[in-house]
Amino acid sequence: MILIYLQETQAPTMNPTLKLIFTITFFVGMASVVLSRFYIYFEQVYALKYKRPFFKNTIVFKKELSDTQVRLLESEFSFYRRLNTKDKAIFRHRLATFIKQKQFIGRDGLVPNNEMKTLLSATAIMLTFGFRDYLIELIEMVIIYPKAYFSEINKTYHKGETNPLMKAIVFSWEDFKKGYHIGDDNLNLGIHEFGHAIHLNAYSNNDVSSLIFNEGFKELTNYLQNHKVVRENLIASKYFRAYAYTNHYEFFAVLLENFIETPQEFKSQFPKLYNYMRQMLNFKYAGY
């Protein structure tokens, strides 16, 4: 009786078809993991060698701007006007995605309008146009004041700031417009603050665009550390404002302002630094 009982309660043998499906699923899953890790390794090697992602754009569902936003770009954003037709379409898709994903908040009675959202976001998209991961994950909120605002933290007036703890970037709209409309004085609040956001974001991420940025910045700083004459010429030229030498974050943000606003002068005076900046941003558009 005991023998019969054991035979009756023994677990049934798995159906051969189910067993085959289970085996195939297991090996497909394992192969996917191996291929994924191999691709990550391959792309990192490729990015470090060629200073660019293996691929840059994966647009599945293309987003478009409104006619008003496109007219704003055409009339107000010179970088966009200099792009070819294909890159303009990519720029519009990225800009529409950025605007949709970020929260725009007005302060002191200001209500963010279409112009503010479009031009502020277009600045971010311009700076990350060579990146695959272009949305600057560090930033979730774009806070806009009508003009310079008083900070209770350090008891002084600010024109803009990047706050990674709040996941926010903050602008005085009055000062953003000043920097935006004077395009060759190397003073641009939008470029400067988004430069900080890009820098901080790259340090806290491991995507391929951050890898290229971080490696490029490391090469740039090593180059300056190992070339005393270049450092001295950099300071003596006064091409970069003195604020650049506050710390390495301000250094990059100021270099970025000069790179975008006066690229030919930058390239002429400091070609090696220019090439490092171009490499870090994968910036091969609109005459740069």
Side-chain angles (χ1 to χ4, degrees):
M1 292 295 293
I2 294 175
L3 179 61
I4 294 172
Y5 175 78
L6 288 174
Q7 288 175 339
E8 288 177 348
T9 57
Q10 187 176 18
T13 304
M14 182 183 290
N15 183 291
T17 303
L18 289 176
K19 186 175 182 180
L20 178 62
I21 292 172
F22 175 80
T23 303
I24 292 172
T25 302
F26 173 78
F27 281 107
V28 167
M30 290 296 294
S32 297
V33 171
V34 171
L35 287 173
S36 175
R37 291 183 177 179
F38 173 78
Y39 175 76
I40 291 171
Y41 173 76
F42 162 77
E43 185 170 55
Q44 288 177 342
V45 172
Y46 180 93
L48 292 174
K49 182 176 180 179
Y50 296 104
K51 315 302 182 186
R52 65 177 185 269
F54 184 62
F55 67 94
K56 190 168 73 73
N57 293 293
T58 52
I59 299 175
V60 179
F61 300 106
K62 187 178 179 182
K63 295 182 176 62
E64 269 296 353
L65 301 169
S66 68
D67 291 342
T68 302
Q69 289 171 316
V70 174
R71 284 195 296 271
L72 265 172
L73 280 180
E74 291 285 3
S75 63
E76 298 289 333
F77 214 76
S78 60
F79 176 82
Y80 174 79
R81 289 197 301 269
R82 297 197 302 270
L83 295 174
N84 61 39
T85 301
K86 178 184 176 181
D87 285 337
K88 280 184 176 181
I90 294 170
F91 193 99
R92 292 194 302 270
H93 166 79
R94 288 185 167 201
L95 179 55
T97 305
F98 189 95
I99 291 172
K100 184 176 181 180
Q101 289 207 4
K102 307 305 178 185
Q103 184 181 9
F104 294 83
I105 302 170
R107 293 281 191 259
D108 293 348
L110 181 144
V111 178
N113 58 29
N114 206 29
E115 179 187 17
M116 295 172 184
K117 293 178 183 180
T118 302
L119 295 182
L120 283 165
S121 301
T123 302
I125 296 305
M126 172 180 66
L127 300 178
T128 60
F129 201 57
F131 293 4
R132 185 168 73 211
D133 303 270
Y134 62 91
L135 288 171
I136 315 178
E137 294 178 5
L138 181 79
I139 299 300
E140 295 179 358
M141 296 180 291
V142 180
I143 299 173
I144 314 167
Y145 285 83
K147 54 186 179 180
Y149 54 94
F150 188 75
S151 170
E152 292 293 342
I153 297 174
N154 55 12
K155 305 300 180 183
T156 188
Y157 281 89
H158 286 196
K159 295 179 181 179
E161 62 185 283
T162 302
N163 190 323
L165 294 178
M166 290 180 59
K167 290 186 170 294
I169 191 166
V170 189
F171 295 102
S172 152
W173 178 243
E174 179 180 76
D175 292 287
F176 172 84
K177 285 193 298 182
K178 284 180 183 177
Y180 174 76
H181 286 299
I182 304 172
D184 60 357
D185 64 349
N186 298 322
L187 290 168
N188 188 303
L189 179 65
I191 293 171
H192 191 94
E193 290 305 328
F194 274 118
H196 284 322
I198 290 167
H199 199 168
L200 290 164
N201 188 73
Y203 270 7
S204 60
N205 282 283
N206 59 1
D207 61 273
V208 68
S209 297
S210 296
L211 172 66
I212 294 167
F213 180 96
N214 290 330
E215 286 299 313
F217 190 72
K218 187 189 300 181
E219 289 178 18
L220 184 153
T221 52
N222 286 341
Y223 169 73
L224 288 175
Q225 288 171 0
N226 295 326
H227 293 81
K228 181 180 178 182
V229 174
V230 177
R231 295 199 308 271
E232 292 172 346
N233 290 341
L234 203 68
I235 297 169
S237 72
K238 298 187 178 179
Y239 172 57
F240 302 107
R241 55 193 168 107
Y243 194 53
Y245 309 111
T246 306
N247 56 53
H248 68 280
Y249 288 106
E250 297 301 344
F251 183 68
F252 170 73
V254 171
L255 259 64
L256 186 59
E257 289 175 278
N258 291 54
F259 178 83
I260 295 295
E261 293 213 334
T262 56
Q264 296 309 315
E265 186 177 358
F266 193 153
K267 188 175 183 179
S268 174
Q269 290 203 43
F270 301 100
K272 194 77 173 177
L273 292 185
Y274 178 89
N275 286 333
Y276 280 128
M277 291 293 290
R278 192 168 180 261
Q279 169 190 314
M280 289 163 62
L281 300 170
N282 188 32
F283 217 77
K284 300 168 185 177
Y285 311 95
Y288 285 89

